[in-house]
Amino acid sequence: MGKESGNEMEQIQRSLEQFLDREVARYEKQESRNTERRNTAGEEYPEEEYSGEEYPEDEYSEDEYSEDEYSEEEYPEEEYPEDEYPEDGYLGEEYSEENYPEDEYPDEDYSAEDYSGNEYPEDESHEEEYTNRRYRRAPFPEEEYGDNPQERYVRHGKKEAKRKNAGPSFPDRTGPELGKPPKKQKPEKEKGGGMKGNKGASGKKKNSGGKKKSGFRKFLTLLIVLLAVLGGIWYVMVGHIYGKMRYGRVETLAGEPLKEQGVVNILLIGSDSRTAGDEGRSDAMILLSISDKTRTIHMTSLLRDMYVDIPGREGNRLNAAYSFGGPELLLETVKQNLGIDVNRYAVVNFQAFANLVDAVNGVDMELTNDEVQWVNAYLNEYNELRGMPIDTDYLDTSLSGTIHLNGPQALAYSRNRFIGTDFGRTERQRKVLAAVMKKLPAAAVTNPGGLIDGLFPNLTTNLTQAECMRLSLMAGKLLTYELVQESIPLEGTYSNASIRGMDVLQVDFDKNSAYLRAQLYGEKAQ
């Protein structure tokens, strides 16, 4: 038992850890995508190639040399060696060899030393900075700069330097710094912590993203620790309660799952035994079904007088199966006749039922005066078993209508089969259980000791501790499910008969099975 419980809890913990790992991975993946989108503008100028000192803000702004103006295709490297500027490199006649004779601009002004590979590495070459588009238009209109090409060139450079406060757009071939490369600059900062131009979305934004990740990880760590602590406390509590129950292992059902096709089926067996450990007869059988398929909790009474086929035995009443082979044979009989997989059971005796009602501070029931008389009659036997005065808990025989019943009174009310035959008896049992279930959440807070000590020592089950843990975690969800009460056989699907001297109900099990499967599993009736 301990090993099975440990394995179940390890699976629950692993599932929680896997869920949290997936959440962290999803968060980091989203952050990575956001960072890539922010860095799209900076991909052509990687951070490591363009430091903040190379391109000062006042000389080379982003607007002056945009990507669409200066493409690499216009000026491939092989057309422009270091020591020459071919005639076809500048479109138009203004920059031809005739306009700029060799003796005006000697080669030494633009030597290999001035434009070495160190200043303009191959992957950052000038073709990206000075594209064809800039030279296709007439940069120095004749009406503005005069007829002389050299004068037009110089005057235009000075005008550009004055306008941008960053020096001429092209090297001034007449100045003392002829042919020198541009000064280094720091990239301009953008709003939001990013860097304008080459730096893209690095810097403060990158650090902010790191802080967010760090904060999220801390939150998840705290959440995991909190869940682990609460889970440990809850597990100890469930273990304490489970330790008060009697575990009745069924070897043939040990490997069967608790939930099948979205439905948990537990057969609640009310034994007429008077003391713990005495199995007695199955005085009541209620199939408790929790269906995620239909979001319902079904309490289906199985009438004990149904004539059924009992595996390995001759046909008999349903409650005889419990007498012949205990819970195991009863579960097999239900499966064989109704076609419903039921692998778990819980047996409670008289004392457990009465204590459960008392733990929730009693229930209010509608009783006729005849039912009041029978409550007192059934109390006689129960009081005698407890060694109490015969008239203990008697009801006023003049009462009728809504009456508040304590545990012994509710037990006597549920056992009455003389009003309404067995159908009336099972209906009263379901009414009491339904009233108890509505009051259980409050009783678990206000009277946990009475609930635990009153019910569980008188309960026997084949549920494991881990399965009880799973059921307890479902409690919040179950409050939203609809409670449905019914009984089997359905009206019109049975007839009264006498077989081997027994008054029994002959049942059409095919119709009843189809109805149950439709209600529990959402299957369409054939």
Side-chain angles (χ1 to χ4, degrees):
M1 178 180 70
K3 185 176 181 180
E4 291 179 1
S5 303
N7 291 337
E8 291 283 349
M9 283 306 303
E10 289 177 3
Q11 292 177 6
I12 294 173
Q13 292 173 356
R14 283 197 296 269
S15 299
L16 175 61
E17 293 172 358
Q18 291 171 1
F19 165 77
L20 294 174
D21 289 342
R22 287 196 298 271
E23 287 299 306
V24 172
R26 183 178 66 79
Y27 176 85
E28 292 180 346
K29 185 176 181 181
Q30 184 63 35
E31 284 293 306
S32 177
R33 288 179 178 173
N34 292 340
T35 302
E36 289 177 1
R37 285 196 294 268
R38 292 194 298 266
N39 287 341
T40 300
E43 287 180 355
E44 294 187 14
Y45 306 94
E47 181 175 345
E48 59 272 12
E49 295 182 4
Y50 296 89
S51 65
E53 300 178 10
E54 291 187 13
Y55 299 97
E57 177 180 344
D58 57 349
E59 288 191 22
Y60 295 94
S61 66
E62 185 180 52
D63 296 335
E64 183 177 357
Y65 300 106
S66 60
E67 183 179 348
D68 58 350
E69 288 188 349
Y70 305 100
S71 63
E72 185 175 350
E73 295 178 357
E74 298 292 341
Y75 294 90
E77 181 180 353
E78 56 270 14
E79 295 185 9
Y80 297 91
E82 295 177 346
D83 56 351
E84 62 177 330
Y85 293 86
E87 180 180 348
D88 56 356
Y90 299 89
L91 301 180
E93 296 181 357
E94 296 182 6
Y95 296 95
S96 64
E97 186 176 349
E98 296 177 359
N99 291 332
Y100 298 93
E102 182 177 353
D103 55 352
E104 293 188 24
Y105 301 96
D107 290 339
E108 55 272 12
D109 288 343
Y110 300 93
S111 63
E113 295 178 357
D114 294 332
Y115 297 92
S116 63
N118 294 332
E119 295 292 335
Y120 294 92
E122 183 175 340
D123 56 347
E124 304 176 19
S125 58
H126 56 277
E127 61 261 26
E128 294 182 5
E129 300 186 27
Y130 303 100
T131 63
N132 191 35
R133 176 181 292 188
R134 189 169 185 88
Y135 299 102
R136 282 183 177 172
R137 63 180 181 270
F140 313 126
E142 184 174 334
E143 61 271 17
E144 184 176 352
Y145 298 100
D147 296 335
N148 188 298
Q150 180 177 352
E151 183 180 354
R152 290 203 306 268
Y153 182 89
V154 173
R155 291 176 61 189
H156 174 73
K158 291 180 178 181
K159 183 176 181 178
E160 286 294 298
K162 183 177 181 181
R163 181 174 67 86
K164 292 187 176 293
N165 193 26
S169 299
F170 306 99
D172 187 354
R173 299 190 179 190
T174 61
E177 297 296 325
L178 189 62
K180 292 293 183 182
K183 296 180 180 179
K184 295 181 180 179
Q185 68 173 12
K186 295 182 179 179
E188 182 181 351
K189 294 184 178 179
E190 287 184 337
K191 292 181 179 180
M195 303 301 292
K196 191 172 181 180
N198 297 336
K199 292 286 280 187
S202 61
K204 291 183 180 179
K205 273 195 175 182
K206 188 172 182 180
N207 293 335
S208 177
K211 290 180 180 178
K212 287 180 180 178
K213 290 181 182 178
S214 177
F216 185 69
R217 288 180 181 275
K218 289 179 180 178
F219 171 75
L220 285 181
T221 301
L222 180 61
L223 181 61
I224 292 172
V225 172
L226 181 61
L227 289 175
V229 172
L230 293 177
I233 295 173
W234 190 256
Y235 186 74
V236 170
M237 290 178 60
V238 172
H240 172 69
I241 296 171
Y242 188 79
K244 292 182 175 292
M245 298 188 230
R246 297 178 62 204
Y247 178 68
R249 181 180 177 88
V250 179
E251 292 296 337
T252 57
L253 301 176
E256 298 297 326
L258 173 66
K259 180 186 291 187
E260 290 188 303
Q261 303 179 51
V263 179
V264 175
N265 287 315
I266 303 173
L267 186 62
L268 304 180
I269 305 169
S271 169
D272 64 358
S273 64
R274 276 65 174 169
T275 58
D278 179 12
E279 290 188 348
R281 295 168 299 176
S282 54
D283 195 53
M285 291 160 286
I286 298 177
L287 179 61
L288 178 66
S289 303
I290 303 169
S291 175
D292 292 338
K293 294 276 188 177
T294 59
R295 296 182 64 79
T296 56
I297 301 173
H298 278 256
M299 289 197 302
T300 308
S301 295
L302 306 180
L303 270 67
R304 66 180 187 175
D305 289 338
M306 288 190 295
Y307 189 81
V308 295
D309 294 327
I310 301 177
R313 294 270 184 170
E314 192 175 13
N316 208 317
R317 291 189 180 103
L318 179 61
N319 68 336
Y322 185 78
S323 299
F324 294 152
E328 182 176 6
L329 184 58
L330 180 57
L331 293 178
E332 291 178 6
T333 302
V334 171
K335 287 183 184 181
Q336 180 169 313
N337 289 271
L338 288 174
I340 302 295
D341 289 328
V342 188
N343 302 318
R344 302 295 185 270
Y345 73 89
V347 179
V348 293
N349 58 22
F350 282 174
Q351 189 67 44
F353 190 91
N355 289 344
L356 176 61
V357 175
D358 281 336
V360 299
N361 197 28
V363 293
D364 294 329
M365 292 286 113
E366 289 285 337
L367 276 73
T368 66
N369 186 259
D370 285 343
E371 288 175 322
V372 169
Q373 306 296 329
W374 280 108
V375 165
N376 290 343
Y378 275 96
L379 278 172
N380 291 336
E381 179 190 10
Y382 188 66
N383 288 333
E384 185 178 356
L385 289 171
R386 295 189 297 167
M388 305 289 289
I390 198 68
D391 60 350
T392 302
D393 294 321
Y394 266 22
L395 295 174
D396 185 343
T397 55
S398 65
L399 294 177
S400 64
T402 302
I403 301 175
H404 186 77
L405 304 178
N406 64 17
Q409 292 165 347
L411 173 64
Y413 169 74
S414 300
R415 294 185 62 202
N416 177 16
R417 62 176 302 181
F418 293 96
I419 298 177
T421 67
D422 204 31
F423 285 95
R425 185 176 68 92
T426 57
E427 182 181 3
R428 284 187 282 272
Q429 292 169 355
R430 294 194 305 273
K431 284 182 178 179
V432 172
L433 283 178
V436 168
M437 290 177 68
K438 289 181 180 179
K439 300 182 72 173
L440 269 178
V445 176
T446 60
N447 188 25
L451 187 63
I452 294 171
D453 296 332
L455 171 63
F456 296 107
N458 297 289
L459 185 148
T460 303
T461 183
N462 69 333
L463 288 163
T464 65
Q465 181 175 338
E467 289 170 344
C468 289
M469 181 74 176
R470 288 178 59 188
L471 291 174
S472 69
L473 294 175
M474 293 170 60
K477 178 178 69 174
L478 298 183
L479 294 176
T480 66
Y481 281 21
E482 179 186 1
L483 181 62
V484 180
Q485 301 182 47
E486 54 200 354
S487 63
I488 294 294
L490 300 170
E491 187 69 30
T493 65
Y494 68 93
S495 61
N496 294 310
S498 178
I499 301 176
R500 300 199 310 274
M502 297 181 295
D503 291 331
V504 297
L505 302 175
Q506 271 195 316
V507 180
D508 185 341
F509 284 108
D510 289 338
K511 289 183 178 179
N512 285 276
S513 176
Y515 172 79
L516 276 179
R517 296 198 68 83
Q519 294 297 308
L520 303 182
Y521 300 96
E523 297 180 2
K524 294 182 179 179
Q526 298 294 328

